[in-house]
Amino acid sequence: LQKNVLLFPMTPNSSYQAISFAYGKARILDQRELPLKEKYLELSHPREVIAAIKSLAIRGAPLLGLAGLTALHLAAVQSNEKNEFHAYVKDIIHARPTAVQLSLIVRAQYDRCCNFSLKEQASLYYEAALDYEKQMLHESEAIAIHGQTLLKQHSKLLTHCNTGPLAMGGWGTALGIIIYGALMLRRNYEVFYTETRPLQQGLRLTSFELHKHQIPATCIVDSAAAYLMSKGMIDAVITGADRIAQNGDTANKIGTYSLALASHAHSIPFYIAAPWSTFDPASISGETFTIEYRDAIEVLRPYSLEQEKARNNSKVLNPAFDITPGKLITAFITERGVDRPPFHF
Ligand code: MRU
């Protein structure tokens, strides 16, 4: 089985692709428009890719690694001199602070190649992006296969945010396990997914991906999860991760910590599925993680102008991620297998 994983990675039968690229250009599926429109953006300037990352046109921690490498390649192609290039590199690394792959992978490639000419660097980053894309295919398939060992034919599963092929090339991570089980093993999982306030990655993107793969599923509002657990409607919770510390503390989409607490209270296993590239070797615990705070408009947008006016006196706090303590995590599912506590990554 492992041999097949390495030699012939399978991919889900998708009619959509979050990002593709050729030398000097990138094509991004604008995730802000999903599920209503499947609109692709043709980008050739690093500034455009950085804007796409910041606005979540492209998103999901592992995929941000590829978007970052693509931006790095375009920056080397478009820059006339090294100072200009360095300014782009800085902007790419800081475009989103919590997802570890964006800064770590871009920084590693830059450190490896920065003494070459810009022309040579452009080729090296292009090759690095191709390699990383292949690596994601292998890793996501291995995660999907390892994940099946924790589940059964009719498991009732809850997932959060979006962690499918829109978030990691190949199958994705947590959602990849669900899609792979349904498609490759004909498992009839009962799938619940959260709406995922405020940007609704669940309601918009997970629903889109489940629909594309013809997997029936049920959406719940974020705050309904504990109630479903209390009614015996959930056997396991599986989410992705944006950054994992050596002790297992995990940053992921806001609301993940609440799901882990509720799972713990109901003795329901809580799994994190993520490629090994999500582990942050510099963080002993989650205390040092930088959590991204986003604009108030993302929280207020669904309300009418009148309601917004009535809220004028109220501040808005919009943390995009939270940190789940490692002690609440039953196991990590990575391409290397299933890791249970005590965690010492
Ligand atoms: O803000 P987003 O949509 O980029 O947040 C995404 C998540 O929190 C995912 O769970 C995580 O990046 C893992 S994606 C495989």
Side-chain angles (χ1 to χ4, degrees):
L1 193 63
Q2 280 303 317
K3 230 180 189 170
N4 286 342
V5 168
L6 291 172
L7 292 176
F8 307 114
M10 305 286 298
T11 49
N13 190 8
S14 294
S15 59
Y16 60 97
Q17 197 169 7
I19 180 168
S20 54
F21 53 93
Y23 201 97
K25 49 188 173 191
R27 188 167 182 261
I28 283 173
L29 175 57
D30 189 346
Q31 297 191 27
R32 296 165 303 182
E33 303 274 351
L34 292 174
L36 298 180
K37 275 188 222 152
E38 282 181 49
K39 183 176 125 194
Y40 285 87
L41 308 170
E42 309 281 342
L43 313 177
S44 57
H45 200 281
R47 237 181 272 120
E48 297 172 314
V49 181
I50 294 166
I53 292 172
K54 285 186 172 170
S55 65
L56 273 62
I58 184 157
R59 43 152 298 284
L63 208 71
L64 286 175
L66 184 57
L69 287 176
T70 309
L72 194 61
H73 161 66
L74 295 180
V77 170
Q78 297 282 352
S79 296
N80 294 315
E81 37 90 29
K82 282 202 171 176
N83 280 346
E84 186 188 359
F85 175 62
H86 293 157
Y88 287 133
V89 175
K90 226 166 128 194
D91 286 352
I92 297 166
I93 285 173
H94 293 112
R96 291 197 75 194
T98 307
V100 70
Q101 283 94 341
L102 180 62
S103 54
L104 227 62
I105 288 170
V106 168
R107 221 184 280 264
Q109 286 303 325
Y110 173 76
D111 288 347
R112 186 176 72 94
C113 308
C114 63
N115 290 329
F116 291 95
S117 71
L118 282 175
K119 203 168 168 215
E120 287 164 326
Q121 284 187 64
S123 299
L124 290 167
Y125 300 138
Y126 182 65
E127 278 160 29
L130 287 172
D131 287 347
Y132 182 72
E133 193 182 37
K134 269 190 226 132
Q135 182 190 321
M136 278 196 299
L137 288 185
H138 290 295
E139 289 171 351
S140 73
E141 188 182 41
I143 290 169
I145 291 171
H146 291 307
Q148 308 308 320
T149 62
L150 300 167
L151 309 176
K152 299 197 185 94
Q153 163 63 290
H154 292 286
S155 289
K156 296 170 271 182
L157 306 175
L158 173 64
T159 189
H160 186 50
C161 195
N162 171 262
T163 57
L166 287 172
M168 176 176 182
W171 296 87
T173 59
L175 189 59
I177 292 171
I178 292 171
I179 298 174
Y180 187 96
L183 262 54
M184 306 299 286
L185 307 180
R186 302 258 172 260
R187 282 191 166 174
N188 298 308
Y189 296 139
E190 188 167 352
V191 182
F192 295 93
Y193 61 95
T194 60
E195 174 192 22
T196 317
R197 282 277 296 146
L199 292 182
Q200 303 193 314
Q201 285 93 334
L203 184 62
R204 296 186 304 105
L205 308 178
T206 298
S207 69
F208 170 83
E209 298 208 275
L210 288 166
H211 181 73
K212 281 276 182 189
H213 294 93
Q214 298 179 344
I215 299 169
T218 307
C219 181
I220 59 169
V221 295
D222 300 356
S223 45
Y227 175 67
L228 263 69
M229 290 178 192
S230 77
K231 290 289 167 194
M233 294 168 73
I234 307 293
D235 294 331
V237 177
I238 318 179
T239 78
D242 274 74
R243 190 180 288 255
I244 304 168
Q246 285 170 29
N247 69 346
D249 290 357
T250 296
N252 191 48
K253 180 52 56 197
I254 191 77
T256 304
Y257 180 27
S258 312
L259 291 177
L261 284 169
S263 302
H264 185 71
H266 293 93
S267 303
I268 290 169
F270 180 85
Y271 300 120
I272 295 279
W276 201 255
S277 58
T278 321
F279 289 87
D280 177 1
S283 297
I284 294 169
S285 77
E287 252 170 67
T288 50
F289 289 172
T290 303
I291 293 297
E292 175 183 353
Y293 279 74
R294 295 187 61 85
D295 204 287
I297 191 71
E298 293 180 353
V299 176
L300 296 174
R301 199 177 282 140
Y303 300 99
S304 69
L305 209 59
E306 280 67 34
Q307 282 166 314
E308 242 180 83
K309 273 189 210 148
R311 284 162 182 267
N312 269 351
N313 291 331
S314 168
K315 286 187 201 155
V316 170
L317 203 58
N318 184 14
F321 300 94
D322 57 26
I323 301 166
T324 300
K327 62 176 189 253
L328 290 179
I329 297 166
T330 312
F332 285 89
I333 307 159
T334 75
E335 67 273 23
R336 300 183 189 181
V338 174
D339 264 298
R340 292 182 184 273
F343 304 122
H344 301 291
F345 296 116

